[in-house]
Amino acid sequence: MARKARHRISYVLPLPNSQGGHLLGVNGLAVDRDRSILYSGGRDGVIGAWDLHLDLAPTATAVTSAPATTWRGQIQAHTHWINDIVLAQKETALVSASSDLTVKVWRPHADDHASPHTLGLHSDYVKCLSTPQTHASWVASGGLDHKICLWDLNGAGLKLEIDVGEGQNTAKGSVYALSVGESIMASGGPESIVRVWDPRTGRRITKLVGHTDNVRAVLINQAGDNIVTASSDQTVKVWSVTAGRCLHTLTMHNDSVWSLASDHPQLSVFHSSDRSGLVAKTDVRGAAEMEQGLCLAVCQEHDGVSKVISAGAHVWTATSSSSINRWADVNTTPYLPPPALQPSVPIGPPRRKNSAQPSPLDLPLAPGGGSKPVPLQSMLPLANIPHFHTGGTRDADATTIASAHSARKRIVTSAKREADVEADADAEADGTADIVIPYCSAPEESIQGQHGLIKHFMLNDRRRVLTLDTAGEVVLWDLVRCEPIRSFGKRHLEDVAPEVNTTESVANWCAVDTRTGRLACVLEENHCFDAEMYADELEPQEGLEFRDDQRINLGKWILRYLFATFIDEELRRDESYRLGMSEGREQQTRVRRGNAPGSIQMPPSTMANGSDPSHSLHPPGTAGGVNGHSWPLTTPGLGIGVATPSIVSVPVPVAAAASVAGESVAAQTIDEQSEQDQRSSHYSQPRSSTERSVDYFSAGPNGPSASGVGDGAGTSNGPATGPPSDAGEERLPTSPSGPDKEAAPKEGGSLFGKKFRMSFGSKRLGRSASVEASKAAVPNEKSDEVDPSGALDAAGENVDDSLWGVIQEIRNRYHRQVKENTGQPIPIGITPSVPIETPVLRPPPGTTVIIQEDRPDSGGVADLYRGTVATMGRDADIVENAAPTWLGRLLFWNQIPLKETVKVSFVLQPYQDLLPNIASVDGNSRLNANRMLRARKILAYVAERIEPAPDAADTQAPKPEEYLELYCQNQLIPVTMTLATLRAHVWKTGGDVLLYYKSNGKKRILGEKTTINGSGETPAPVNGGAASSAGSVTGAKEESSTSS
C-alpha cells in the first residue's frame, strides 16, 4: 500500500517596502524584443518583468540618453531559487526552472492573469532550460537528477525523458548546461563531457571530450553542425558535430566561464562572462582563423556574472546582487574587413592563412560610427599566441590590433582605472603593459533591487527570530504576529542575539529559513503542535480573562488566524447549506397528502441510537457544549499521564464523565482551572480523554519492570484492555481492588491531594507498562485518527482524504440529523477555536500562505496552493481540495492530532531533612511530569504533602511559592520556570533532575526542624549529583548529613 502523502503549511512574512525588485541575486534573464520587456528570475523565487522603453531591433544603435526602465510587475513563482528562465511560444510563455524541483510556465499576457502552472517535476534541482526557437511549443529542462525532460507547453505534459547517466550510478550525470537546436540537443555537466542527443528519440548521437572541468554553458548554431561550450576550466571551445572533435579553444578569460549568449545564426558573434565579473564580446566574422578574431572586454562587474544577454545595442548582466545592470554594447562592425575580403565560412577548421586575404586583425584601429573609439586596452587575445617583442618605441598611430600584446592581461575595473593607467603609462609606452580596461567604465542604468534576508537566528522562546539582510541590518521578528518587532541597525547578528535571547526551552514547532530572501515558517503535522506558551506571558487583551497557568498551543494559534478568512467563508457556506436543507424539508412537509398520519410507530431497535457516537452532531471526543463551543480547551496529549501501579482503565462516556460527583472527579482528574471557573465559564467543558485523566506528577510502580515516565494519554499501567469503544469516550483510572489496595501509597486527604494522586516508582529508568500498553493500541489509535466518526466507513459513506472530506463528514451528519430529528433546527457543525483559547491575531493581509505536499517519488515537495491571508476566502474552493484532513479538523473542530506527552523525570528531596520528606517508605522520591510544568506547581505539591489540609478555604493564607523555595545546582529556581527550561539551562546534564525544597522562614511549617548552623540562617542547598535511583537519593542525604 502506498504511503500517504504528507502535507505541510508554510507562511512567508512580508517585508516592508519590498515591491518592485528582487531581494537576492538574479540567475536568469530573458528579453522580449518585440514588446521591449526584460524578464528576470531571482534567487528569491520571483519572476520580475520590466518595461525597457528601448528599440531592440538588431540594427538599433546606441543612444546617448535612453529612458529609464520601469517596473512592470512580478510574481512569486517558486519557493526556492530560480536557476534559469526562457521565452517560448512567440514570447508569450515564460518557462522557469527552480531548485524547488519544478518547471513552471507563466503567461504574462494572458487575460486571466493566472499564476504559473507547473509543467512537471524533477527529483533534484532543475538547473537549466532551452528551447529551439522562440516560437517553439516545447522546452527542455536539465537537472541534478541526471535527467533531461522535454515538456509540451500545450498541456500534453512530459514528452520525453532522457537519462543522462545512461543507467550508470555516477555522481557526474548532472546537467548544468543545455542547448536545443533544430535537430540536435547538447548537454554539459561536471564530468567535463559534452553529450549530443537526438531530441526526437532521446538517443545519444555522440560525446565530445576535451574540457577539463565543469561545462557551464552550451550554444548550438542554426545549422546544427557547430557547438560552442564554456567551462570552469577558463576556456571556450568550438566543436564540430560531424567531425566529433574540438576545432578551436579560446582562452580570453582568466576565470571560470559561466555564461554564453548569441543571436548570430552561425555563432560568429557571442558574449561570454566569467566568475571574476568580466563580460567579453567575441566577433570572428571575416577572420581567416578564429583565434585571430576580435575579442573585447565590454564591462567588469563586481561579482561573478551568472547570466549575460544582449539585445539591440545593450547588454544586461545578472550577478549575486539583487540589481540588474544595463551596459552599452560594443559595435564591432566597423572593425571588420570589407565584404570582398571576408572569408565565406566564419567558423570552421583552421586554415592556412592566405596572403591575398588580409585578416581584420591587420587593419588599423578606428572608431566605430556613432560610438566611442575602442581603446587598445580593451582588446583580449582569443588564444595564447606567442609574442616576440622587438623593442623600441612604438608609434601610437601605427599600432594595430595584431601588434597588441597577446599575453593574458589583468582586468582593470572602473574604481582603479585612473590610478592604474597613470602607474602603467611608462609600461604601456614600450608595449609591456598587461592591463585590460573594459570598454564600459560604468553601466548605463542599474535596475535596483531590494535588501533580502540572508541569515537568521531562532531565539530560545521559539517565537522570535533575528534576521540579517544584504544591507547588514539586524531585525527582530515575531513569528506568531508575523511582523517585525525592532530594528537594531547595521550590527553583527552574533552581538545582538545575547541581548534579546531568553532562558527558555520550548519545543521546536516550526522550521525557519531565509533562502528566498524572506522569513518563511514551515509547519508539519508531526511537530507544529508540540510547543506551548503560558497565557500570562501575553499582553493583556480586553475582555479575556485566562485561567491560572493556562497554556496556548502555538501551532494551533497561528493556523487559526492564517486561515481566518477561509473559516469565515466556510461558515457562510455552511449556513447557506443548512438553510437549504431546512427549506427542502419544509417543502416536503407542505406537499404531504392531507390524510397522512402525524407519526409512524416503529418497532424498537436493538441498537441504542443514543449511545452511538456516529449520531452525534459534535466532533468525536466531545460533549455537546454551550454556544456551540464543545471542543477541549487545551491541547490533547500535552497533559501529564498517570502511571500509578495496578490501575485498571475503564472506558467512560464523556457525558457520563461530565456528570460524575465533584469529589469523585477531583480524585481521578487534574484541571488547571478552579472549580468556580468550571461552573461559570462555558469554555470549561471537559477537555479530552487525555487531559481529564492526567496528573501533574506520576511515578512508576515499585516493581523492577516499571518506569517513571507515564504515557501522557491517560492509559492504564496495567495490561492493555484494548482501545476505547469510541473517540467520544475517555479512560479514567480507578482504584484497584483486592489486598493490594491497602498497600497502596498514602494519598493526601485534601482537595489538592485528591487532584495530585501520587505514588513512588521504581529505581530503574525504563518504559512503564503504560507506555507498552499505549504502543499496543497504536494501530487502533491511528484508525481513529483517520476517521474520528468511526461509523462513516462502516455505513459506506466514503469521504475524500482532504479538507473537503471533513466538510463531507459535517454534511453527512446534517443529513442524518434531518432524518432522525424531523422538525428540529440543524445545529452548526463547524466550531472553530474561541478567543479565550486562541487570542485574536491579525497577521498582515499580504502574508503568503502555501500548502505543499511531499512527493516521495521525486524526493521533494510540490506546491498545491499559494495565496495570501487576504485572498484565502476567495480561494476557498482551491483550499478545500488542497488542504490536508488534519488542517480541516483543526479549523472546523478545533482538534489536533494526539501525541505522546513529553515528560521530565526528577527527584524531589528536602534540603538536609529540615522539612518532612515526601518520599515513599522505601526512600524513593523519583517523579515525572509534563515538560511544561512550572516550578510553582512542584512547590504546591510539596506543600500539600507536608502540611495538613485546611478545614476551609482561607483567602488570606500565603501561597506555597511565597514560603517555599526550590533549588537546583545551587540556584534558586523562579516559580515560573518550566521543567524543560530547568533541565536545559540549569541541570545541563543527563539523568534525573535533582531538586531540593526548603522553607524561606516566612511561615512556620509543622514538622520543620531548626536551623543547623545556629546562626538563624539556612545554608544554601548543594546538589550531590543526579539521582536516578533510590540508592543515589540515599547517598545524597548521607552526604548532606556529613557536611552538616
Side-chain angles (χ1 to χ4, degrees), residues 210-211 229 233-239 245-252 290-291 350 381-385:
H211 281 294
T229 59
D233 61 8
Q234 306 179 8
T235 65
V236 176
K237 289 182 179 292
V238 181
W239 308 81
R245 65 184 183 91
C246 178
L247 302 179
H248 308 279
T249 300
L250 310 180
T251 58
M252 61 281 204
M290 193 170 187
E291 289 80 358
L382 283 174
N384 291 328
I385 303 175

mmCIF file of all heavy atoms in Angstrom, residues 210-211 229 233-239 245-252 290-291 350 381-385:
data_model
loop_
_atom_site.group_PDB
_atom_site.id
_atom_site.type_symbol
_atom_site.label_atom_id
_atom_site.label_comp_id
_atom_site.label_asym_id
_atom_site.label_seq_id
_atom_site.Cartn_x
_atom_site.Cartn_y
_atom_site.Cartn_z
ATOM 1 N N GLY A 210 37.034 17.007 -24.126
ATOM 2 C CA GLY A 210 38.109 17.976 -24.296
ATOM 3 C C GLY A 210 38.233 18.944 -23.138
ATOM 4 O O GLY A 210 39.330 19.394 -22.817
ATOM 5 N N HIS A 211 37.134 19.268 -22.500
ATOM 6 C CA HIS A 211 37.198 20.142 -21.336
ATOM 7 C C HIS A 211 37.787 19.383 -20.148
ATOM 8 O O HIS A 211 37.740 18.143 -20.087
ATOM 9 C CB HIS A 211 35.801 20.656 -20.977
ATOM 10 C CG HIS A 211 35.333 21.777 -21.846
ATOM 11 N ND1 HIS A 211 35.932 23.018 -21.844
ATOM 12 C CD2 HIS A 211 34.320 21.852 -22.744
ATOM 13 C CE1 HIS A 211 35.308 23.810 -22.698
ATOM 14 N NE2 HIS A 211 34.321 23.123 -23.270
ATOM 15 N N THR A 229 30.947 25.810 -26.357
ATOM 16 C CA THR A 229 30.769 25.478 -24.944
ATOM 17 C C THR A 229 31.700 26.336 -24.087
ATOM 18 O O THR A 229 32.781 26.741 -24.524
ATOM 19 C CB THR A 229 31.069 23.997 -24.674
ATOM 20 O OG1 THR A 229 32.423 23.709 -25.068
ATOM 21 C CG2 THR A 229 30.117 23.101 -25.444
ATOM 22 N N ASP A 233 37.062 25.409 -16.715
ATOM 23 C CA ASP A 233 38.495 25.341 -16.971
ATOM 24 C C ASP A 233 39.021 26.602 -17.655
ATOM 25 O O ASP A 233 40.145 26.621 -18.162
ATOM 26 C CB ASP A 233 38.842 24.102 -17.797
ATOM 27 C CG ASP A 233 38.165 24.109 -19.169
ATOM 28 O OD1 ASP A 233 37.554 25.135 -19.543
ATOM 29 O OD2 ASP A 233 38.242 23.080 -19.862
ATOM 30 N N GLN A 234 38.197 27.687 -17.701
ATOM 31 C CA GLN A 234 38.549 29.016 -18.190
ATOM 32 C C GLN A 234 38.652 29.087 -19.711
ATOM 33 O O GLN A 234 39.208 30.038 -20.257
ATOM 34 C CB GLN A 234 39.875 29.499 -17.572
ATOM 35 C CG GLN A 234 39.899 29.459 -16.053
ATOM 36 C CD GLN A 234 41.221 29.912 -15.474
ATOM 37 O OE1 GLN A 234 42.097 30.397 -16.198
ATOM 38 N NE2 GLN A 234 41.376 29.753 -14.169
ATOM 39 N N THR A 235 38.072 28.113 -20.386
ATOM 40 C CA THR A 235 38.156 28.109 -21.838
ATOM 41 C C THR A 235 36.771 28.088 -22.467
ATOM 42 O O THR A 235 35.786 27.679 -21.843
ATOM 43 C CB THR A 235 38.939 26.883 -22.353
ATOM 44 O OG1 THR A 235 38.215 25.700 -22.036
ATOM 45 C CG2 THR A 235 40.325 26.830 -21.740
ATOM 46 N N VAL A 236 36.726 28.553 -23.729
ATOM 47 C CA VAL A 236 35.550 28.430 -24.588
ATOM 48 C C VAL A 236 35.980 27.609 -25.795
ATOM 49 O O VAL A 236 36.958 27.945 -26.467
ATOM 50 C CB VAL A 236 35.024 29.812 -25.025
ATOM 51 C CG1 VAL A 236 33.867 29.657 -26.002
ATOM 52 C CG2 VAL A 236 34.597 30.631 -23.820
ATOM 53 N N LYS A 237 35.251 26.526 -26.067
ATOM 54 C CA LYS A 237 35.628 25.624 -27.155
ATOM 55 C C LYS A 237 34.566 25.620 -28.237
ATOM 56 O O LYS A 237 33.359 25.722 -27.954
ATOM 57 C CB LYS A 237 35.836 24.197 -26.638
ATOM 58 C CG LYS A 237 37.089 24.023 -25.781
ATOM 59 C CD LYS A 237 37.268 22.579 -25.331
ATOM 60 C CE LYS A 237 38.530 22.403 -24.508
ATOM 61 N NZ LYS A 237 39.770 22.580 -25.314
ATOM 62 N N VAL A 238 35.027 25.483 -29.468
ATOM 63 C CA VAL A 238 34.166 25.349 -30.642
ATOM 64 C C VAL A 238 34.327 23.925 -31.166
ATOM 65 O O VAL A 238 35.452 23.478 -31.426
ATOM 66 C CB VAL A 238 34.519 26.385 -31.722
ATOM 67 C CG1 VAL A 238 33.588 26.232 -32.912
ATOM 68 C CG2 VAL A 238 34.435 27.796 -31.156
ATOM 69 N N TRP A 239 33.170 23.230 -31.321
ATOM 70 C CA TRP A 239 33.192 21.818 -31.702
ATOM 71 C C TRP A 239 32.499 21.628 -33.048
ATOM 72 O O TRP A 239 31.548 22.339 -33.384
ATOM 73 C CB TRP A 239 32.463 20.956 -30.669
ATOM 74 C CG TRP A 239 32.912 21.147 -29.248
ATOM 75 C CD1 TRP A 239 32.536 22.139 -28.402
ATOM 76 C CD2 TRP A 239 33.813 20.313 -28.525
ATOM 77 N NE1 TRP A 239 33.134 21.987 -27.185
ATOM 78 C CE2 TRP A 239 33.925 20.863 -27.225
ATOM 79 C CE3 TRP A 239 34.530 19.156 -28.824
ATOM 80 C CZ2 TRP A 239 34.724 20.297 -26.239
ATOM 81 C CZ3 TRP A 239 35.316 18.594 -27.835
ATOM 82 C CH2 TRP A 239 35.419 19.152 -26.570
ATOM 83 N N ARG A 245 34.969 16.511 -32.955
ATOM 84 C CA ARG A 245 36.189 16.944 -32.289
ATOM 85 C C ARG A 245 36.162 18.454 -32.081
ATOM 86 O O ARG A 245 35.307 19.154 -32.626
ATOM 87 C CB ARG A 245 37.416 16.557 -33.120
ATOM 88 C CG ARG A 245 37.503 17.252 -34.465
ATOM 89 C CD ARG A 245 38.684 16.739 -35.264
ATOM 90 N NE ARG A 245 38.830 17.447 -36.546
ATOM 91 C CZ ARG A 245 39.569 18.528 -36.702
ATOM 92 N NH1 ARG A 245 40.203 19.042 -35.665
ATOM 93 N NH2 ARG A 245 39.675 19.098 -37.885
ATOM 94 N N CYS A 246 37.108 18.905 -31.285
ATOM 95 C CA CYS A 246 37.228 20.328 -30.982
ATOM 96 C C CYS A 246 37.969 21.025 -32.110
ATOM 97 O O CYS A 246 39.052 20.586 -32.538
ATOM 98 C CB CYS A 246 37.961 20.522 -29.664
ATOM 99 S SG CYS A 246 38.228 22.239 -29.216
ATOM 100 N N LEU A 247 37.389 22.141 -32.601
ATOM 101 C CA LEU A 247 38.019 22.911 -33.671
ATOM 102 C C LEU A 247 38.887 24.039 -33.127
ATOM 103 O O LEU A 247 39.980 24.289 -33.650
ATOM 104 C CB LEU A 247 36.945 23.498 -34.598
ATOM 105 C CG LEU A 247 35.994 22.506 -35.260
ATOM 106 C CD1 LEU A 247 34.978 23.248 -36.112
ATOM 107 C CD2 LEU A 247 36.772 21.507 -36.105
ATOM 108 N N HIS A 248 38.409 24.732 -32.110
ATOM 109 C CA HIS A 248 39.133 25.885 -31.580
ATOM 110 C C HIS A 248 38.974 25.920 -30.068
ATOM 111 O O HIS A 248 37.915 25.574 -29.536
ATOM 112 C CB HIS A 248 38.602 27.199 -32.169
ATOM 113 C CG HIS A 248 38.552 27.208 -33.666
ATOM 114 N ND1 HIS A 248 39.657 27.456 -34.455
ATOM 115 C CD2 HIS A 248 37.527 26.990 -34.527
ATOM 116 C CE1 HIS A 248 39.312 27.396 -35.723
ATOM 117 N NE2 HIS A 248 38.018 27.120 -35.799
ATOM 118 N N THR A 249 39.992 26.374 -29.397
ATOM 119 C CA THR A 249 39.976 26.611 -27.951
ATOM 120 C C THR A 249 40.331 28.065 -27.705
ATOM 121 O O THR A 249 41.435 28.495 -28.042
ATOM 122 C CB THR A 249 40.960 25.684 -27.223
ATOM 123 O OG1 THR A 249 40.600 24.325 -27.451
ATOM 124 C CG2 THR A 249 40.942 25.970 -25.730
ATOM 125 N N LEU A 250 39.401 28.812 -27.155
ATOM 126 C CA LEU A 250 39.570 30.236 -26.904
ATOM 127 C C LEU A 250 39.869 30.450 -25.421
ATOM 128 O O LEU A 250 39.197 29.885 -24.564
ATOM 129 C CB LEU A 250 38.315 31.005 -27.304
ATOM 130 C CG LEU A 250 37.765 30.699 -28.713
ATOM 131 C CD1 LEU A 250 36.526 31.525 -28.993
ATOM 132 C CD2 LEU A 250 38.838 30.956 -29.766
ATOM 133 N N THR A 251 40.854 31.293 -25.166
ATOM 134 C CA THR A 251 41.335 31.485 -23.789
ATOM 135 C C THR A 251 41.336 32.960 -23.395
ATOM 136 O O THR A 251 42.283 33.449 -22.790
ATOM 137 C CB THR A 251 42.750 30.905 -23.651
ATOM 138 O OG1 THR A 251 43.607 31.559 -24.594
ATOM 139 C CG2 THR A 251 42.757 29.412 -23.883
ATOM 140 N N MET A 252 40.280 33.688 -23.751
ATOM 141 C CA MET A 252 40.254 35.118 -23.422
ATOM 142 C C MET A 252 39.891 35.385 -21.963
ATOM 143 O O MET A 252 39.991 36.521 -21.501
ATOM 144 C CB MET A 252 39.277 35.864 -24.337
ATOM 145 C CG MET A 252 37.843 35.410 -24.258
ATOM 146 S SD MET A 252 37.562 33.894 -25.200
ATOM 147 C CE MET A 252 35.804 34.000 -25.525
ATOM 148 N N MET A 290 39.849 31.523 -36.488
ATOM 149 C CA MET A 290 39.020 32.005 -35.402
ATOM 150 C C MET A 290 39.843 32.654 -34.297
ATOM 151 O O MET A 290 39.402 33.617 -33.648
ATOM 152 C CB MET A 290 38.187 30.852 -34.824
ATOM 153 C CG MET A 290 37.068 31.317 -33.906
ATOM 154 S SD MET A 290 35.947 29.996 -33.470
ATOM 155 C CE MET A 290 34.690 30.923 -32.594
ATOM 156 N N GLU A 291 41.041 32.138 -34.037
ATOM 157 C CA GLU A 291 41.878 32.698 -32.991
ATOM 158 C C GLU A 291 42.305 34.126 -33.308
ATOM 159 O O GLU A 291 42.768 34.852 -32.430
ATOM 160 C CB GLU A 291 43.120 31.826 -32.780
ATOM 161 C CG GLU A 291 42.846 30.490 -32.115
ATOM 162 C CD GLU A 291 42.294 29.444 -33.080
ATOM 163 O OE1 GLU A 291 42.090 29.790 -34.255
ATOM 164 O OE2 GLU A 291 42.066 28.295 -32.656
ATOM 165 N N PRO A 350 40.729 25.165 -38.721
ATOM 166 C CA PRO A 350 41.816 26.106 -39.014
ATOM 167 C C PRO A 350 42.296 25.928 -40.456
ATOM 168 O O PRO A 350 42.425 24.819 -40.969
ATOM 169 C CB PRO A 350 42.886 25.718 -38.005
ATOM 170 C CG PRO A 350 42.160 24.975 -36.924
ATOM 171 C CD PRO A 350 41.032 24.287 -37.604
ATOM 172 N N PRO A 381 43.077 38.714 -26.088
ATOM 173 C CA PRO A 381 43.545 37.683 -27.031
ATOM 174 C C PRO A 381 42.628 36.465 -26.968
ATOM 175 O O PRO A 381 42.240 36.017 -25.892
ATOM 176 C CB PRO A 381 44.945 37.350 -26.535
ATOM 177 C CG PRO A 381 44.909 37.652 -25.076
ATOM 178 C CD PRO A 381 43.963 38.821 -24.915
ATOM 179 N N LEU A 382 42.276 35.934 -28.114
ATOM 180 C CA LEU A 382 41.424 34.757 -28.162
ATOM 181 C C LEU A 382 42.187 33.467 -27.892
ATOM 182 O O LEU A 382 41.586 32.451 -27.545
ATOM 183 C CB LEU A 382 40.737 34.663 -29.517
ATOM 184 C CG LEU A 382 39.551 35.614 -29.734
ATOM 185 C CD1 LEU A 382 39.054 35.525 -31.159
ATOM 186 C CD2 LEU A 382 38.440 35.322 -28.761
ATOM 187 N N ALA A 383 43.502 33.506 -28.097
ATOM 188 C CA ALA A 383 44.304 32.312 -27.864
ATOM 189 C C ALA A 383 45.676 32.736 -27.386
ATOM 190 O O ALA A 383 46.098 33.887 -27.578
ATOM 191 C CB ALA A 383 44.418 31.462 -29.133
ATOM 192 N N ASN A 384 46.376 31.811 -26.752
ATOM 193 C CA ASN A 384 47.716 32.087 -26.249
ATOM 194 C C ASN A 384 48.723 31.972 -27.384
ATOM 195 O O ASN A 384 49.447 30.988 -27.533
ATOM 196 C CB ASN A 384 48.072 31.119 -25.124
ATOM 197 C CG ASN A 384 47.244 31.385 -23.887
ATOM 198 O OD1 ASN A 384 46.886 32.522 -23.619
ATOM 199 N ND2 ASN A 384 46.951 30.322 -23.147
ATOM 200 N N ILE A 385 48.780 33.018 -28.223
ATOM 201 C CA ILE A 385 49.715 33.041 -29.346
ATOM 202 C C ILE A 385 51.025 33.657 -28.866
ATOM 203 O O ILE A 385 51.023 34.733 -28.289
ATOM 204 C CB ILE A 385 49.152 33.859 -30.519
ATOM 205 C CG1 ILE A 385 47.800 33.283 -30.937
ATOM 206 C CG2 ILE A 385 50.123 33.899 -31.686
ATOM 207 C CD1 ILE A 385 47.115 34.094 -31.995
#
